[in-house]
Amino acid sequence: MSTHEATSIDDPATSPFEFAQAAAAVIAEKTGVERHDIALTLGSGWGQTADLLGETIATIPADEVPGFAKSDIPGHSGTLRSIRLANGKHALVIAARTHYYEGKGVRRVVHSVRTAAAAGASVMILTNGAGGVRPEWGPGTPVLISDHINLTADSPLEGATFIDLTDLYSARLRELALTVRELDEGVYVQFRGPHYETPAEVKMARTIGGDIVGMSTALEAIAAREAGMEVLGMSLITNPAAGVSPNPLSHTEVLEAGKAAEADLAELLSQIVVKL
């Protein structure tokens, strides 16, 4: 990727939507697929889903697409994958999430979502591994996101852009997911990271209505709504949150819980996608 490609998305004079269009054009060229109907961002524990969705048309290293970079975060493969579903539709699977705590700016955090919209996707499925605030949710529990609280003190919207988030996480898609399996729902709270939350912060999150704590998803969901996409959010509870858990938290624990639940989550999410 040229220096111009690597830096232009960060230039305030550059439209992030035009840059997303350029990235979508590269994806179309490399996959031979003109339009992707559905997009999925696969977080920790959700990676095997792509293997069950259908026929893989192409897998692209993320750093070959403008605005994307290979992830340095363990558990993220750093690829974009085009898959033909059994119904003939095409899914774009994103395993190259940029996290807010990486310090690359909000434009890069939501670039994958904007690229998915530019590629034609009308449905955006956002998944993550997260901490559970409710003690009854053990590691390996999948939860539907019903709403979120954004504690990053940031937004992907620029200028006087006012977007209604009342029904950000689609009730229709959540109802569809519930036809596949009985699932709990909860409010996701995005913290800035990369440190884990303190017990006091988790208590605060619970007090203000949060059920799940993590470091992704909310900013991406806002950008998806701005782009006109319907959003389904799902969290894998990888660990009880600080103060709920009697043990110290570690990223190793997150990865282990994700790996243990991966086959079950793949089956669940692939069955949901079939119904879209």
Side-chain angles (χ1 to χ4, degrees):
M1 187 183 301
S2 69
T3 302
H4 174 74
E5 287 175 329
T7 58
S8 61
I9 191 174
D10 305 312
D11 183 350
T14 300
S15 164
F17 304 102
E18 291 178 4
F19 204 81
Q21 289 283 354
V26 170
I27 291 171
E29 178 184 358
K30 288 182 176 290
T31 62
V33 177
E34 183 178 345
R35 176 186 177 87
H36 287 83
D37 307 281
I38 300 164
L40 303 91
T41 296
L42 299 182
S44 298
W46 299 88
Q48 281 188 18
T49 302
D51 297 331
L52 300 184
L53 289 177
E55 177 191 358
T56 296
I57 303 302
T59 300
I60 311 168
D63 55 6
E64 293 183 5
V65 181
F68 288 84
K70 189 167 183 177
S71 178
D72 295 325
I73 311 301
H76 297 268
S77 66
T79 62
L80 302 173
R81 188 167 167 182
S82 176
I83 297 176
R84 182 185 291 118
L85 306 176
N87 60 9
K89 293 183 178 181
H90 289 86
L92 180 64
V93 178
I94 301 162
R97 175 178 259 153
T98 296
H99 292 80
Y100 185 81
Y101 57 71
E102 294 178 61
K104 297 178 180 178
V106 180
R107 280 189 172 191
R108 287 187 180 268
V109 170
V110 303
H111 178 58
S112 59
V113 170
R114 286 173 171 160
T115 297
S122 58
V123 172
M124 187 74 227
I125 299 177
L126 298 169
T127 68
N128 59 60
V133 174
R134 296 191 199 174
E136 65 267 27
W137 289 345
T141 303
V143 179
L144 291 170
I145 299 175
S146 59
D147 204 345
H148 79 231
I149 298 170
N150 174 16
L151 293 185
T152 67
D154 217 331
S155 172
L157 307 184
E158 300 179 18
T161 306
F162 304 106
I163 302 295
D164 179 26
L165 303 180
T166 302
D167 57 348
L168 175 55
Y169 296 92
S170 168
R172 182 186 78 86
L173 295 182
R174 282 184 281 131
E175 289 171 5
L176 183 149
L178 291 171
T179 67
V180 174
R181 184 186 299 182
E182 184 176 342
L183 298 164
D184 285 336
E185 300 188 20
V187 175
Y188 181 88
V189 183
Q190 180 175 354
F191 285 84
R192 294 171 66 97
H195 53 272
Y196 289 106
E197 303 78 23
T198 68
E201 288 169 337
V202 171
K203 183 178 180 181
M204 174 193 72
R206 182 171 60 244
T207 300
I208 63 176
D211 303 294
I212 313 159
V213 293
M215 305 173 193
S216 67
T217 302
L219 296 173
E220 295 160 301
I222 295 168
R225 167 49 60 87
E226 180 188 22
M229 288 192 281
E230 196 173 10
V231 179
L232 175 67
M234 299 186 72
S235 290
L236 163 67
I237 304 303
T238 56
N239 57 276
V244 180
S245 172
N247 303 314
L249 306 182
S250 73
H251 192 60
T252 300
E253 178 186 15
V254 170
L255 294 177
E256 289 176 351
K259 188 173 182 61
E262 205 160 22
D264 179 60
L265 295 177
E267 183 68 25
L268 169 63
L269 189 51
S270 63
Q271 287 185 34
I272 293 171
V273 171
V274 165
K275 290 177 172 286
L276 294 175

